Amino acid sequence: VHAFKRPSEEELDHSYLWRTDHHAPARGCVSIFNRSYYEEVLVVRVHPEIVTKYQRIPAERIGSLDEFWEKRYRHIREREVEGYDNGTTTVKFFLNVSKDEQARRFLSRIERKQKNWKFEAGDMKERALWDEYQVAYEDAINATATPNAPWYCVPADDKKSMRLIVAQAIRNEMDKLHLEWPTLSEKETAELGEYKKQLLEELGESERA
Amino acid sequence: VHAFKRPSEEELDHSYLWRTDHHAPARGCVSIFNRSYYEEVLVVRVHPEIVTKYQRIPAERIGSLDEFWEKRYRHIREREVEGYDNGTTTVKFFLNVSKDEQARRFLSRIERKQKNWKFEAGDMKERALWDEYQVAYEDAINATATPNAPWYCVPADDKKSMRLIVAQAIRNEMDKLHLEWPTLSEKETAELGEYKKQLLEELGESERA
């Protein structure tokens, strides 16, 4: 599991897809990203000054902002195609919390002392940009939902239902991989028999039933 | 400068573009790759068993081998587009050594004692596949030469000419970046004058001419 927060200076000085790729799963493994490169077309889209001020991308390579987001959608789609062709399927979840439910969750962070540490005033500022975020989510999801790298948009006000839906979706995706236990050759299976005999002898046990 | 040799097991267990990307240059920096991800459509194309045996890519994601190399060309093109859009230009050099010149260089490694360590019997095996390599180079270069990520194919039998051509090409590419020294604001320039005065006083020197 990798949680991606504010990028470091070194990360800002590379392609925005650089830092997440370091945590790409090895063959046979699963990586879970809590936030991801999609922030680069969500929070960054709502605050485009990040591109010029912090990521310092040359103006002539940005073009118009509309072109710029289209370019980023393409980079992301192509990275996910590349991952797929190399054996890694990307599955994306949008946990769709309503504006009222967000208010309730923030309130609980304010009202319950043990949750106070979780409350950030900055979250209130982003909440004020709710409509901008909705447009950013809609555009990003439409532009990057592909058959081999699907988006699951999950109603998330009710956590239990959300978890059930996500678990089922992961199961569906894993079924598509047709995973099988590794099998041994006849020779290797025979050798296992030998090793078993040897180990039982060492333990002074006779052949098991 | 990064030289890429045989990939590690960890690297083989990721997309073939994973390991080189770790060494992608930061903003304002230059990375020089000695060999690169292009080996993945050159030596790997001449020895395609690497794909199934070592990289262990699932058969259904490989498709036909012809499709497979086209997919890899696309991944590479798209990575270079992404780099460009983020401010990094990729420039590729094919140092074109003739078959006779290669024979001469191998001979010199055999005949000169101090060069013996450089000779590898494996190189003789690859030399026997010369024609296959020529096809792989031609296809890869044609498929990945783009205006923003050019290939320079440089005659390389004569090392001095080769170096001159490469240096000129790098100069051309750097000119396209319109690099400028950072400039200071008037206020910052005025402050520099203050600091200069302070330092000269500490040294006990009077104002310089």
Side-chain angles (χ1 to χ4, degrees), chain A residues 13 15 27 55 75 82 85, chain B residues 13 15 27 75 82 85:
Chain A
D13 270 350
S15 165
R27 212 166 290 294
Q55 299 180 331
H75 304 154
E82 181 202 312
D85 290 343
Chain B
D13 271 350
S15 165
R27 213 166 291 293
H75 305 154
E82 180 202 313
D85 290 344

Side-chain angles (χ1 to χ4, degrees), chain A residues 41-86:
Chain A
V41 288
L42 298 170
V43 63
V44 178
R45 175 155 167 192
V46 175
H47 300 281
E49 66 278 9
I50 293 174
V51 170
T52 44
K53 198 169 160 193
Y54 298 102
Q55 299 180 331
R56 299 189 295 152
I57 297 175
E60 76 270 18
R61 297 204 182 172
I62 295 175
S64 76
L65 272 181
D66 279 348
E67 285 167 350
F68 184 72
W69 305 122
E70 289 302 327
K71 283 183 199 169
R72 288 208 157 174
Y73 299 146
R74 171 179 167 179
H75 304 154
I76 291 173
R77 279 195 307 267
E78 293 293 336
R79 283 267 188 157
E80 292 175 354
V81 164
E82 181 202 312
Y84 183 82
D85 290 343
N86 280 285

